[in-house]
């Protein structure tokens, strides 16, 4: 039977088990032999990371051809207008080509844990939250997409991967599913 862990990755943690200088890795939080991350979250991102010991499941989660939807909660600089959301929904041109269309909507500020360190806030520039749903996962894609429409990402939380969500999982904690 496959092992599946849902981990709420804190900000500043690398998505790997092997030590990397003085930067924290998954090994500081997960002592379960034989599981590996299905996909990645960069060090500056937080949220749901699925780990498994099942190579086929890992492939279904992370391979773009399977189109497993990933849901992100993104705090951005400024207040995106309808045109910016329409651009995200239509696909955005990045240096490595056009993104696939995303589902994008404004989101009321979610009830989430405080980030350590806190995001930088500027009194003269408001922030807003968006929910983005993507079926592809290029390197730093969400950050590059929001910047391309004029709203740099300040905080990025992956809320869901396919049917799995962060619900009830505190930062730095994981739950094991019966798979």
């Amino acid at each position: 039977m496959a092992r599946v862990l849902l981990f709420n990755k804190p900000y500043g943690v690398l998505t790997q088990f092997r030590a990397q200088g003085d930067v924290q890795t998954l090994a500081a939080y997960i002592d379960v032999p034989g599981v590996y991350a299905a996909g990645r979250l960069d060090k500056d991102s937080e949220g749901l990371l699925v780990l498994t010991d099942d190579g086929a499941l890992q492939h279904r989660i992370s391979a773009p051809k399977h189109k497993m939807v990933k849901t992100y909660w993104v705090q951005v600089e400024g207040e995106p207008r309808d045109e910016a959301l329409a651009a995200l929904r239509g696909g955005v041109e990045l240096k490595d080509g056009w993104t696939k269309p995303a589902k994008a909507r404004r989101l009321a500020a979610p009830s989430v844990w405080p980030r350590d360190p806190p995001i930088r806030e500027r009194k003269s520039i408001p922030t807003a939250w968006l929910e983005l749903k993507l079926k592809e996962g290029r390197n730093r894609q969400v950050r590059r997409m929001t910047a391309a429409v004029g709203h740099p990402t300040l905080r990025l939380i992956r809320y869901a991967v396919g049917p799995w969500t962060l619900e009830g999982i505190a930062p730095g904690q994981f739950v094991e599913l019966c798979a």
Side-chain angles (χ1 to χ4, degrees), residues 75-80 119-129 151-152 154:
Q75 188 176 15
V76 296
E77 191 172 86
E79 294 177 356
I119 65 160
R120 66 171 168 75
E121 296 217 30
R122 297 191 286 185
K123 292 183 192 289
S124 62
I125 301 176
T127 68
W129 284 87
H151 298 281
L154 300 172

Side-chain angles (χ1 to χ4, degrees), residues 38 45 61 76 95 104 115 128 141 144 146 149 151 168:
S45 299
I61 292 168
V76 296
K95 288 181 181 175
R115 195 184 87 174
Q141 181 175 347
R144 294 189 298 143
T146 63
V149 299
H151 298 281

